[in-house]
Amino acid sequence: MKKKRTLMMSVGARAVRSLTAARTRSGEFPGRDQTLAFLGPEPTGADAEVFHVREKRKLSSRLREFFVYSPSLGRTVGVRVLLPGIPSEVSDVIHLFHGGGDDFRSWTDLGAAEQITADSPYLVVMPDAGAASYSRHRFPGTDLDWPRFHTEELPAFVADRYFVNPERSGQILAGLSMGGYGAMKYAALHPDEYCAAAAFSSPFDTLAAVPLFDIITLREGGPARSLFGDPKRDRAEWLANSPVALAPNLAATDLWFSAGSGEPDPDEEGASVDVLEATVHHHGERFHSRLESLGIPHTWLPRPTGSHTWVTWQRELAAWLEDLPRRLFEAEARGASGGGAGSAQGGGGATEAGAAGTAGSGTMWSSADGAPFSYVTGDPVFSVHGWDVAISRRRAQIVTFADVTPSGFTLNGAGTFRITTPALYHPTGTYRIDISSPLTENVYNLRADPEGRLHLTGRMAGALHDPIVPGRRTRHFRTWGQEEITQVRISPIDGDGGDGPITSAGTNDLHRRT
């Protein structure tokens, strides 16, 4: 095991060095000074609390470069933006992420993104991602919240500056290598915000790529295992950041991913097998199998040749972009009809598998069809489709917020919960709340707030607690209760009374408001 890990570390480091060497040989990078010394010291005081542009440049008729200060990162980073090749009044946005060892310039300096998108109607945003963890990384003296920068601050900046579609239907994610990992993870964490995600040569199973994440951690400047913790002791944290584990959330997202086999292309005489590409190819197979088992439509393109290089990624970006308008149109049509897509076999090994739209499959709830949705997460506090959920717990755990409709939902895990629903209920209407958990059967009446939201609280399984004497005999305390299911049912009460006490709270009413 140690020998295998050493080999993976060596392969990862070699890949980073080769990418840097490719930039040097091309003479295209750095196109401008890599340091930010010309901007002066980082903002302090009130300026450090606000996202703002510190410098902007026009590099070509379509390419813009910004240096922005991000409170989520506590520092200034770069962002490049490609204006649509085919202008329109309102444009959809592609968030295009770079891989490890690269930066916000890479897709245009080395990936030919400007040329490939020349006939594209999309606004392409290429932000910096540091060492490319696409995760929150905290260690002494540093707190880098990359997800917040990429999914909150940056979309707000783009929507404020350009005429773009800020709705889910206009927000698209894509990336190469670690950038593809980030695209799929963000899509899974925010299924109500992004309609499509694509990944080229990317890892998807964090627990199968521990050495790779060790490299990312060290390159970010943090100590080993400071990103997700120990893979055994903090397994839930690793799963919470794994697209494979979060796959159920992707049922309503258009998914496209590809990888080469690692074998050289026919025109690469004398080239050896690319071990890194072969490794991420296995990740693609694993992700494909997981999605297929869940019945989630997707396109998986396992290429018979191809290495972990820009030649591969330029080809994949062009292929995905060419097919994207059709895919988005068909996805929108499926969503409008409430139906799923059947299995289809495409050329080049492409597979679209399964069907979405069944109860509890992960599809998005809407007032039009009433289909339930499910959401998997490792976060104790999250928001999805208008539901705000906070779970008080002692240890990390993977939680499934399942079969969610205005009539109720289920939660697995231990601890207590506090949930605010969307505005689905009659304002100030009274509702009966039935909570069935391993600990108790609790029934109470609750009044919706003036906006039609309900504010629910309840107990799940026994709170996870730390054993007094850690060891094999007390190991079960770490996971006890995580598989237990708590059922919550919400039903209207005629009139403004009921058998139980009325508490001020708020959330939507079971009856649709007209």
Side-chain angles (χ1 to χ4, degrees), residues 35 62 66 193 241 245 253 261 323 348 387 403 408 420 475:
T35 73
R62 292 180 54 221
F66 300 89
E193 295 180 16
N241 287 277
T253 306
S261 67
D323 199 36
W387 297 73
D403 301 321
T420 298
R475 186 181 301 164

Side-chain angles (χ1 to χ4, degrees), residues 358-369:
T358 57
S361 67
T363 55
M364 183 169 52
W365 185 87
S366 71
S367 58
D369 56 31

